[in-house]
Amino acid sequence: MDPKTPIIIVVLGACGSSSDNYVTRLISQIKDRKWRTVIVNRRGFANQTLKANRFMHDNENEDLQEAINYISEEFSKSPLYLIGISAGANNTARHLGIQGTDTPIRAYVSISNPFNLGRVSYSAQFEFWGRIFSFLIAKSFKKIVENHLLNAKMQSFVRKNFHDVDHVIREVRNMDTVWEIDSFLNSKFCNKENVFDYYEHCSSEYVLDKIAVPSLFLSSRDDPICIHQILPIEKIHKNPNLILLVA
């Protein structure tokens, strides 16, 4: 393959894996256009074993930057493009906002970005489909957390915050929503005082004005999670590098 062949880096949704059906279909479509794809699995997901006492939340931007730097160095002649999907869209947009002009990414597509994790997580509790999706995401996340809590490194980290690993497992098993898990567990993983600080830290809405590459945000009016009413439309319009398309 020509060393100048473009590469699309893809970051997935919550609990996403490079083996998911929607991911393999996306890869197939990109491959048909003779481009290359790199799927970045988030730390601790896609059946990965944690090798340090860190989970995804406290180092998401650092992990993504390291992956992009590695790809850029290995394929130095290839132009790099970025796609984020759902939670991965929030993570990638936040990353680009933090990096500003200091990125090799030439253009970016954000699909179903929740933008503000606090609003999305809270509002999901009051919508039928929102509750369904929140329950399913929480169910998947609970399995991932339980598997990692068998890891000695993670147990050491958990004991610093909760003292009793068995107590954490019992509590997580009884949780049915993303809001509950974020309040009890993920805010601690991110070293935040409470869930509100955690959501503000992780939400891309607050750095949209810093994104310096051409970016297309795709959203659906009937999206049950990233609902149309809470899209940061004004903030997107204020940045000339950003375009919002709502279908």
Side-chain angles (χ1 to χ4, degrees):
M1 187 172 281
D2 189 328
K4 295 182 180 180
T5 301
I7 295 176
I8 296 182
I9 301 168
V10 183
V11 180
L12 310 177
C15 306
S17 165
S18 50
S19 61
D20 290 346
N21 288 336
Y22 78 93
V23 180
T24 57
R25 288 198 296 268
L26 176 62
I27 293 172
S28 178
Q29 291 178 9
I30 295 172
K31 185 178 179 181
D32 289 343
R33 288 158 176 77
K34 311 300 182 185
W35 286 27
R36 289 181 288 197
T37 312
V38 176
I39 307 298
V40 179
N41 287 314
R42 302 166 75 190
R43 180 189 291 256
F45 289 80
N47 298 316
Q48 297 178 85
T49 299
L50 290 172
K51 299 180 180 180
N53 60 343
R54 305 171 74 186
F55 201 31
M56 64 172 187
H57 301 282
D58 65 334
N59 50 280
E60 192 93 55
N61 186 64
E62 177 186 326
D63 283 355
L64 183 53
Q65 182 60 42
E66 187 162 336
I68 291 173
N69 286 344
Y70 177 82
I71 297 165
S72 180
E73 291 169 4
E74 288 292 309
F75 303 92
S76 58
K77 295 183 179 180
S78 296
L80 302 184
Y81 301 90
L82 183 62
I83 293 177
I85 302 171
S86 191
N90 177 72
N91 299 334
T92 46
R94 180 174 176 270
H95 168 77
L96 291 175
I98 292 172
Q99 296 302 126
T101 58
D102 184 21
T103 177
I105 300 299
R106 295 196 180 187
Y108 167 58
V109 176
S110 173
I111 303 172
S112 297
N113 190 332
F115 292 107
N116 187 308
L117 300 185
R119 288 195 199 120
V120 167
S121 182
Y122 182 76
S123 63
Q125 301 176 83
F126 304 101
E127 300 287 340
F128 174 76
W129 286 112
R131 289 195 298 270
I132 296 296
F133 276 93
S134 181
F135 173 79
L136 293 175
I137 292 171
K139 182 179 179 181
S140 296
F141 192 82
K142 286 192 291 185
K143 291 181 181 178
I144 293 169
V145 168
E146 284 194 47
N147 287 337
H148 289 318
L149 288 178
L150 300 176
N151 182 314
K153 290 183 180 293
M154 279 303 295
Q155 288 183 4
S156 174
F157 173 79
V158 168
R159 287 192 181 98
K160 290 180 179 179
N161 292 277
F162 298 97
H163 306 297
D164 186 350
V165 174
D166 291 334
H167 166 70
V168 173
I169 293 176
R170 287 194 302 270
E171 289 293 319
V172 169
R173 284 175 177 171
N174 290 325
M175 294 177 183
D176 294 323
T177 67
V178 173
W179 179 276
E180 289 176 301
I181 293 176
D182 287 341
S183 298
F184 176 73
L185 195 63
N186 290 338
S187 55
K188 303 285 193 310
F189 280 143
C190 204
N191 298 313
K192 297 302 175 185
E193 288 292 326
N194 53 58
V195 70
F196 303 103
D197 288 343
Y198 163 71
Y199 282 142
E200 183 173 351
H201 169 78
C202 294
S203 295
S204 62
E205 177 179 346
Y206 302 108
V207 293
L208 292 176
D209 60 319
K210 303 293 194 304
I211 295 177
V213 301
S215 303
L216 174 63
F217 292 84
L218 301 176
S219 186
S220 172
R221 290 185 184 277
D222 59 358
D223 191 316
I225 297 295
C226 311
I227 58 177
H228 173 67
Q229 289 84 351
I230 61 176
L231 292 177
I233 296 174
E234 287 189 17
K235 292 183 179 180
I236 292 174
H237 286 171
K238 286 181 178 179
N239 186 335
N241 295 309
L242 314 183
I243 294 176
L244 173 65
L245 177 59
V246 180

